[in-house]
Amino acid sequence: MIIHEPIIQIKSMKKMYELGGETVMALQSVSLDIQKGDFISIIGPSGSGKSTFMNMIGCLDRPDSGEYFLDSEEVGKMKSSQLAAIRNKKIGFIFQNFNLIPKLTAFENVELPLIYREMKAAERREIALGALKKVGLADRANHLPTQLSGGQQQRVAIARALAGNPPILLADEPTGALDSKTSKEILEIMNSLNEQGHTIILITHDLEVAKRANRVVRIHDGQLYENGGEWFADNKNGTEEH
Amino acid sequence: MQTIKMALKSIKGNKIRAFLTMLGIIIGVSSVIVMVAIGQGSTKEVQDQIGSLGTNVLTVSVTGSDVTFKEDDANQIQDVNGVEAIAPTVSGRVTVKNGQTNTQVSMIGTTSSYLDVRDLQLQSGRFIADLDHDNHSKIAVLGSDTAQTLFGLGDPVGESVKVNGTSYKVVGVLESVGSSLGTSGDSTIIVPLSTGQRLASTTEIGSVYVKVENEDAINFASRLIEQTMYTIVGDTDSYSVSSQEDLMETASSVNETMTLMLGGSAAISLIVGGIGIMNIMLVSVSERTKEIGIRKAIGAKRGNILLQFLIESMVLSSFGGIIGVGIGVISAQIYTLATGTAIAYSVPVMLLSFVFSLLVGVVFGVFPANKASKLHPIQALRYE
């Protein structure tokens, strides 16, 4: 269900790092458009600039130059407090290590983005429980992350990402810490979320995972290439490169 | 509201550490309260005692060593306008002995009017009579502590005691007057003035207690007595005329200084407690770097993080303050029960030390909270 109306427009984005006195070109002029309702995978080995690109898309960092329109807002030059508000409203993060706060219950973790939106407690409760229900964990709302399995923790993290009802879900190696059976479950949840209309950006080094998406782009040495899936398949150098 | 809940949760998650952190504040606040309670208690006690001596009494002391001031000179004060009665005294320290028991007490040699001027009460027997003074009688009236030390619960009237080796007949015992400024008013022995002068081997008068007719005219009487003293002694530095009010002011100022010093040193321990809080908050920030990163990634602004840690340190310090007030009141109570010393609670001091502990939480929480709020989300997320 792709609507041809770009939610993300990136034009010649550049980012450099100083690393041990050396300047690393993490992103050299990257451009990318993502349509509303799309499911896109960004595939690349470690050191390819993949993480840097994810941080840029996720508004965790600012590019050195270039343009970044998110939901038709120029976010590339925003102040950090404005970026925090954008992250809160527009992006749902799903991390490799789940990144749940260990002292908070599943429910409290899911509720967190809504607290920073200054929503009333009753409203928060309804939304957070709804999100947990969507990932099938309504009965585990009061469990601590340590009392949950890896797959369940990742589902709580997905519920947290969904709670704020952001236009974009940004998943960084969401199956990296899970076994293949649980990975499949998580990916199926992501597929069904996409069918429900969520725009999903999946960052991975795993071709099998990347193939779940409608569109696969490849990042290599800070450059972005379309048709990433075919390139990996043709060159047979998919997963062993990292 | 939500932030306070979060702070409570995080404190509950680490109870022992929270308690140890609060300990500095608890000790600080409770010692401020105990010190001030004891200090103010003793001020009040001294004031009560000095007040109980009567506000219509002046004390004329002869301080110069090379001036002569005899009984006849003292009697001139009696003729001053507004004076009702005078009691010239001579004093010294003597050893009093009854059988095997002996004690060092302060000896006061005086006249019959002393009882009325100093507003004392007799427990039993009689006081010194004018005749005893004329006869240089070897009789004595004992202070209540002296009587108890030498005779226990028995009645000493009619018995005899040895004062500096000479036998004296006990004719009366005084009611207790309590102690003031660390000296007991009950460890005394009172003898006729003439006898007392012999015991102190002097013919001088040490001080004269003057009772004035009208309390309101005490300042006027005081000035007249000063003039009389000047004509007798001729040197303004060799005598002093003071009212109970003067004494009270001196005693109060001494006590206030003491209270201030005690309270001040306790306040320093509050600051030390604050440094403890800062230390723990810094540890907590670096331990929770990842949590801060997660919170920032999902949309926490700098202000949210700053407030979270600031409220945490304020909750710690104010809890410490409340517990400190409680422990302070309890320990002051135990102290007064154990030692019998008077204490006085001061509600403003309790409020002040609580507010101060809260302030300590803010001041020493700002630095760690600011540090937490400034963390970059990417670096914080990567932190393990």
Side-chain angles (χ1 to χ4, degrees):
Chain A
M1 195 178 74
I2 304 164
I3 302 153
H4 284 279
E5 184 192 333
I7 187 139
I8 284 179
Q9 281 181 297
I10 292 169
K11 281 192 196 121
S12 10
M13 183 187 272
K14 284 185 186 150
K15 183 76 185 177
M16 279 187 300
Y17 281 120
E18 289 278 338
L19 205 70
E22 250 179 279
T23 312
V24 180
M25 260 309 222
L27 293 176
Q28 358 192 340
S29 195
V30 171
S31 298
L32 180 71
D33 282 12
I34 298 172
Q35 311 298 323
K36 215 171 247 183
D38 206 352
F39 186 170
I40 177 171
S41 285
I42 299 171
I43 187 165
S46 51
S48 59
K50 190 178 55 175
S51 298
T52 307
F53 193 43
M54 190 211 93
N55 290 338
M56 294 300 156
I57 296 175
C59 297
L60 289 164
D61 208 349
R62 271 179 296 248
D64 293 336
S65 66
E67 285 173 359
Y68 177 14
F69 285 92
L70 197 162
D71 216 5
S72 41
E73 269 185 278
E74 164 68 292
V75 297
K77 289 171 186 71
M78 277 186 177
K79 286 187 292 182
S80 56
S81 63
Q82 289 173 303
L83 284 180
I86 291 286
R87 286 197 296 272
N88 185 260
K89 290 196 189 83
K90 308 272 178 174
I91 299 160
F93 285 94
I94 301 162
F95 298 97
Q96 177 174 7
N97 317 316
F98 327 131
N99 278 351
L100 299 173
I101 294 174
K103 277 174 302 192
L104 303 182
T105 63
F107 169 74
E108 286 165 330
N109 266 293
V110 175
E111 180 188 43
L112 215 49
L114 306 177
I115 288 175
Y116 292 125
R117 233 181 248 193
E118 282 157 24
M119 200 181 266
K120 294 234 165 60
E123 208 179 335
R124 284 203 310 260
R125 193 170 172 77
E126 199 181 315
I127 295 174
L129 286 177
L132 276 171
K133 211 170 174 182
K134 246 184 193 173
V135 295
L137 283 176
D139 55 332
R140 301 287 158 93
N142 295 317
H143 285 54
L144 288 174
T146 45
Q147 297 166 322
L148 299 171
S149 70
Q152 286 171 330
Q153 287 186 51
Q154 192 59 298
R155 273 146 71 192
V156 172
I158 292 172
R160 180 177 65 188
L162 287 172
N165 197 28
I168 297 160
L169 291 181
L170 182 59
D172 178 23
E173 304 273 12
T175 59
L178 300 172
D179 60 54
S180 56
K181 185 171 164 282
T182 338
S183 297
K184 223 178 137 205
E185 281 170 26
I186 295 295
L187 290 170
E188 259 150 34
I189 292 176
M190 309 220 21
N191 274 119
S192 85
L193 287 173
N194 178 238
E195 275 157 30
Q196 288 164 38
H198 292 274
T199 311
I200 297 176
I201 303 167
L202 180 71
I203 290 152
T204 184
H205 65 266
D206 188 334
L207 186 62
E208 290 307 307
V209 173
K211 275 180 177 168
R212 288 273 179 168
N214 305 325
R215 178 179 168 200
V216 182
V217 295
R218 179 171 65 88
I219 190 162
H220 191 78
D221 287 341
Q223 306 251 18
L224 203 67
Y225 304 93
E226 287 290 337
N227 306 324
E230 289 154 37
W231 186 87
F232 275 98
D234 291 347
N235 291 276
K236 290 190 167 76
N237 55 4
T239 52
E240 68 266 24
E241 202 175 317
H242 57 271
Chain B
M1 200 52 227
Q2 192 59 39
T3 325
I4 295 171
K5 260 191 220 163
M6 275 199 282
L8 283 176
K9 209 176 171 75
S10 131
I11 288 165
K12 258 192 244 163
N14 218 328
K15 288 196 191 78
I16 294 175
R17 180 197 282 187
F19 173 72
L20 289 175
T21 312
M22 282 189 278
L23 204 57
I25 296 289
I26 293 174
I27 292 171
V29 170
S30 57
S31 52
V32 166
I33 285 170
V34 172
M35 297 299 178
V36 172
I38 292 170
Q40 293 195 333
S42 89
T43 308
K44 197 168 166 286
E45 198 177 16
V46 168
Q47 281 178 348
D48 284 353
Q49 263 160 27
I50 293 173
S52 75
L53 296 177
T55 47
N56 57 345
V57 175
L58 290 166
T59 313
V60 181
S61 313
V62 180
T63 48
S65 55
D66 50 355
V67 293
T68 54
F69 187 68
K70 309 245 189 263
E71 198 190 342
D72 288 342
D73 301 323
N75 285 336
Q76 288 186 37
I77 296 172
Q78 178 75 68
D79 301 332
V80 172
N81 229 343
V83 170
E84 190 186 316
I86 63 158
T89 64
V90 62
S91 57
R93 283 197 77 78
V94 293
T95 310
V96 189
K97 199 171 171 189
N98 172 39
Q100 294 302 311
T101 330
N102 68 69
T103 177
Q104 280 264 341
V105 296
S106 67
M107 178 277 292
I108 298 163
T110 187
T111 60
S112 56
S113 50
Y114 186 79
L115 194 71
D116 172 48
V117 171
R118 295 297 309 266
D119 197 23
L120 301 173
Q121 304 292 324
L122 277 169
Q123 205 178 83
S124 63
R126 65 170 179 90
F127 197 66
I128 291 155
D130 290 338
L131 203 62
D132 299 321
H133 175 49
D134 297 341
N135 290 349
H136 297 250
S137 305
K138 289 199 169 64
I139 59 139
V141 175
L142 301 182
S144 61
D145 275 0
T146 315
Q148 204 174 6
T149 312
L150 295 175
F151 294 94
L153 294 171
D155 185 10
V157 176
E159 305 287 330
S160 64
V161 290
K162 288 220 156 104
V163 180
N164 284 358
T166 320
S167 194
Y168 278 68
K169 192 178 167 211
V170 178
V171 294
V173 179
L174 292 171
E175 283 281 7
S176 169
V177 294
S179 59
S180 81
L181 287 174
T183 59
S184 170
D186 296 326
S187 286
T188 52
I189 181 166
I190 298 171
V191 296
L193 182 61
S194 51
T195 320
Q197 282 174 330
R198 204 171 283 171
L199 273 171
S201 39
T202 174
T203 53
E204 303 289 321
I205 297 294
S207 53
V208 184
Y209 292 95
V210 182
K211 186 178 183 181
V212 297
E213 282 161 1
N214 188 348
E215 219 174 282
D216 301 327
I218 193 157
N219 288 331
F220 181 63
S222 172
R223 237 166 290 135
L224 288 180
I225 292 167
E226 292 227 26
Q227 282 171 17
T228 311
M229 285 301 290
Y230 184 71
T231 56
I232 299 165
V233 180
D235 177 9
T236 45
D237 292 335
S238 298
Y239 65 89
S240 68
V241 180
S242 56
S243 64
Q244 298 300 333
E245 214 173 311
D246 298 336
L247 275 179
M248 208 171 334
E249 268 168 27
T250 316
S252 298
S253 81
V254 167
N255 260 307
E256 266 160 28
T257 313
M258 202 175 77
T259 308
L260 206 68
M261 273 171 63
L262 289 174
S265 59
I268 288 171
S269 69
L270 253 180
I271 292 172
V272 174
I275 295 170
I277 286 190
M278 178 155 75
N279 198 4
I280 289 298
M281 291 308 294
L282 282 172
V283 171
S284 174
V285 167
S286 63
E287 264 183 5
R288 285 154 67 189
T289 302
K290 181 124 188 167
E291 177 188 328
I292 295 163
I294 297 168
R295 285 178 186 273
K296 283 203 155 184
I298 62 173
K301 296 195 179 93
R302 260 196 73 178
N304 297 120
I305 303 290
L306 187 86
L307 206 64
Q308 184 189 344
F309 281 88
L310 203 56
I311 285 182
E312 221 175 289
S313 90
M314 276 167 70
V315 166
L316 273 176
S317 66
S318 58
F319 264 34
I322 291 169
I323 297 172
V325 169
I327 290 181
V329 170
I330 292 168
S331 358
Q333 204 65 49
I334 290 171
Y335 176 80
T336 180
L337 285 177
T339 62
T341 317
I343 51 164
Y345 295 117
S346 154
V347 175
V349 167
M350 285 185 202
L351 284 179
L352 198 74
S353 54
F354 173 72
V355 170
F356 191 63
S357 70
L358 197 69
L359 211 69
V360 161
V362 176
V363 168
F364 289 99
V366 161
F367 176 60
N370 188 45
K371 196 181 162 196
S373 75
K374 272 194 188 150
L375 287 171
H376 195 280
I378 296 172
Q379 261 108 52
L381 269 176
R382 265 195 219 128
Y383 187 89
E384 288 300 331

